[in-house]
Amino acid sequence: MKDRTLKENLATAYKILAYLKMDDLTYTHLSARSSKGDTFYIYPFGMLFSEVEPTCLLEVDFSGKILEGEEYQYNKTGYIIHSIIYKNRPDINAIFHLHTIPSVAVSCMKGGLLPISQFALHFYGQVRYHNYNSLALTEDSGEQIVHDLEGKYIMFLQNHGTLTCGKNIHEAMYYTNHLEKACRVQIATLSAGKENLIFPSSEICKKSNSDLLGFEEDLGMRDWLALKRAIK
């Protein structure tokens, strides 16, 4: 029953991101660690996010072997990225990899994510960056991603997109939603020139980050329930 609910929630996450227009045809992927601990669920490569149902999700082990479900095409990059993170980060139980236009744009900027909006302050001191190195097709590529994540939950894959992780699916969704909005604001405000932007002091940024992430007991649950209602 536990994994049945988990698969239902993961399929819902795919549909929510399609509803929010944060998908990229068949090119990105979300996953959740199974109750076994050493396998995860992910959609079959080739489907649209809006098409995902609990029954179509694959169960994959950390070697990239499909244990349950039928795939359209073997998704080596997806299996490497998700497997290596779950294997090395027992605190992470959900991983969202996206290529939205705003987040890819910010991933191309030398300064990365700027602390210029309340959306962005959710991530103050919490963001890591990974240099672009083509597709993650080898174990070495995966190991570098884990190394660059450095104990955090948010990472920009430079010139590529983002990884947002969470202790659960609704926490990963919370980070994903706020990161997208932070990137949109950054793109919009940079049109005025960086010299015209207001940057809060580091003290205020640190306090805001603590306040924002400590505002609710179960981070992301309130928004998760609202988003589930929105797609019904």
Side-chain angles (χ1 to χ4, degrees):
M1 181 64 72
K2 182 177 180 180
D3 275 24
R4 177 181 172 182
T5 300
L6 181 66
K7 292 168 76 173
E8 289 173 352
N9 285 337
L10 181 58
T12 297
Y14 276 100
K15 291 182 181 295
I16 286 171
L17 290 179
Y19 168 78
L20 296 174
K21 301 188 185 305
M22 292 171 64
D23 50 349
D24 179 22
L25 279 178
T26 64
Y27 294 98
T28 54
H29 27 81
L30 322 177
S31 71
R33 188 194 298 268
S34 77
S35 62
K36 298 176 184 176
D38 59 357
T39 67
F40 62 92
Y41 297 112
I42 192 169
Y43 85 147
F45 193 35
M47 295 187 73
L48 298 174
F49 278 21
S50 59
E51 297 178 303
V52 177
E53 299 292 343
T55 53
C56 75
L57 292 170
L58 307 176
E59 184 179 1
V60 184
D61 70 16
F62 291 170
S63 70
K65 181 181 179 181
I66 308 300
L67 303 178
E68 177 186 309
E70 296 182 5
E71 57 182 350
Y72 173 78
Q73 176 183 335
Y74 190 78
N75 186 9
K76 189 171 185 178
T77 60
Y79 303 154
I80 285 176
I81 291 171
H82 294 265
S83 294
I84 202 74
I85 293 175
Y86 287 130
K87 185 176 181 179
N88 288 276
R89 291 287 302 274
D91 56 315
I92 288 175
N93 293 304
I95 303 168
F96 293 7
H97 170 47
L98 299 177
H99 305 152
T100 69
I101 299 302
S103 65
V104 172
V106 172
S107 81
C108 298
M109 296 179 182
K110 290 181 179 179
L113 186 67
L114 302 176
I116 55 174
S117 69
Q118 183 162 283
F119 297 126
L121 294 179
H122 286 81
F123 309 103
Y124 187 75
Q126 307 299 323
V127 178
R128 294 292 183 255
Y129 297 88
H130 172 71
N131 290 337
Y132 185 69
N133 189 28
S134 189
L135 301 178
L137 293 172
T138 66
E139 288 293 326
D140 287 344
S141 298
E143 291 287 354
Q144 190 60 51
I145 287 173
V146 170
H147 175 268
D148 291 344
L149 193 55
E150 295 184 75
K152 300 297 185 183
Y153 288 82
I154 313 299
M155 187 161 71
F156 281 89
L157 307 173
Q158 292 179 328
N159 310 100
H160 180 175
T162 57
L163 281 175
T164 50
C165 309
K167 299 180 186 69
N168 48 56
I169 291 171
H170 58 267
E171 183 178 275
M173 181 65 73
Y174 179 87
Y175 291 141
T176 298
N177 184 45
H178 284 84
L179 187 63
E180 176 73 0
K181 291 178 179 178
C183 291
R184 290 182 186 177
V185 170
Q186 182 164 321
I187 299 301
T189 55
L190 283 177
S191 63
K194 189 175 180 180
E195 69 278 5
N196 292 315
L197 303 185
I198 299 170
F199 286 79
S201 68
S202 60
E203 291 77 16
I204 290 298
C205 289
K206 290 176 184 177
K207 183 179 186 305
S208 296
N209 178 258
S210 177
D211 289 345
L212 290 164
L213 298 186
F215 186 70
E216 54 187 302
E217 184 175 345
D218 190 1
L219 189 65
M221 179 56 78
R222 186 179 67 252
D223 288 347
W224 173 255
L225 295 175
L227 285 166
K228 285 179 68 175
R229 293 194 301 271
I231 65 170
K232 284 185 177 179

